[in-house]
């Protein structure tokens, strides 16, 4: 799931209840380090795929008898997700950041009004 905190997008995913004790986590929050929505979506989709693989591995490890030793490797993999540097640039996506400043409206100088002509007295 994609969330905005301030001007930066974050990836959030709930850990399945069967894996919470094994991974020592209830949810995964990772900063996507971007304010660009398209870039954040690409990064979030990659992280979603990686966490899905991680959850599948954890389920298979828990089914084996020597699960404790292998779980530590999965915990390390989970920590490594925090340091993922996903390539993409704002120029590629062509999107605006969340905090993009709005351009100032152009102001037009008002011309001085001509003084009213005095009524003619006959």
């Amino acid at each position: 799931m994609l969330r905005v905190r301030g001007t930066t997008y974050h990836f959030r995913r709930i850990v399945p209840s069967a894996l919470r004790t094994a991974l020592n986590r209830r949810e995964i929050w990772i900063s996507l380090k971007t304010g660009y929505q398209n870039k954040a979506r690409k990064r979030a989709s990659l992280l979603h795929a990686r966490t899905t693989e991680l959850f599948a591995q954890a389920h298979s490890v828990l089914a084996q008898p020597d699960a404790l030793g292998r779980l530590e490797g999965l915990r390390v993999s989970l920590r490594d997700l925090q340091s993922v540097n996903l390539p993409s640039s704002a120029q590629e996506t062509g999107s605006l950041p969340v905090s993009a400043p709005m351009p100032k409206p152009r102001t037009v100088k008002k011309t001085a009004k001509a003084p009213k002509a005095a009524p003619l007295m006959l």
Side-chain angles (χ1 to χ4, degrees):
M1 179 178 283
L2 204 57
R3 296 283 177 133
V4 179
R5 283 183 150 182
T7 60
T8 305
Y9 283 93
H10 289 76
F11 171 78
R12 178 179 180 250
R13 183 146 185 205
I14 303 295
V15 175
S17 58
L19 300 177
R20 288 181 184 170
T21 55
L23 296 177
N24 294 332
R25 290 250 178 121
R26 185 181 171 284
E27 61 184 18
I28 299 170
W29 273 91
I30 299 173
S31 172
L32 299 175
K33 298 177 182 158
T34 185
Y36 296 95
Q37 187 177 25
N38 289 341
K39 188 190 299 186
R41 283 183 181 170
K42 289 177 185 177
R43 292 179 180 183
S45 68
L46 289 173
L47 284 171
H48 189 273
R50 289 183 183 179
T51 54
T52 301
E53 290 173 12
L54 181 77
F55 294 159
Q57 289 174 356
H59 278 294
S60 66
V61 165
L62 288 175
Q64 297 173 358
D66 63 339
L68 293 177
R70 300 186 78 196
L71 275 177
E72 187 58 37
L74 290 175
R75 290 181 186 138
V76 170
S77 297
L78 185 61
R79 280 188 294 248
D80 290 343
L81 284 177
Q82 299 284 344
S83 62
V84 171
N85 189 7
L86 303 168
S88 185
S89 68
Q91 291 78 21
E92 292 174 5
T93 61
S95 60
L96 292 175
V98 172
S99 61
M102 295 296 292
K104 291 184 179 180
R106 296 182 78 175
T107 57
V108 178
K109 289 186 179 182
K110 293 183 179 179
T111 57
K113 290 184 179 179
K116 289 185 178 180
L120 292 175
M121 296 287 232
L122 295 176

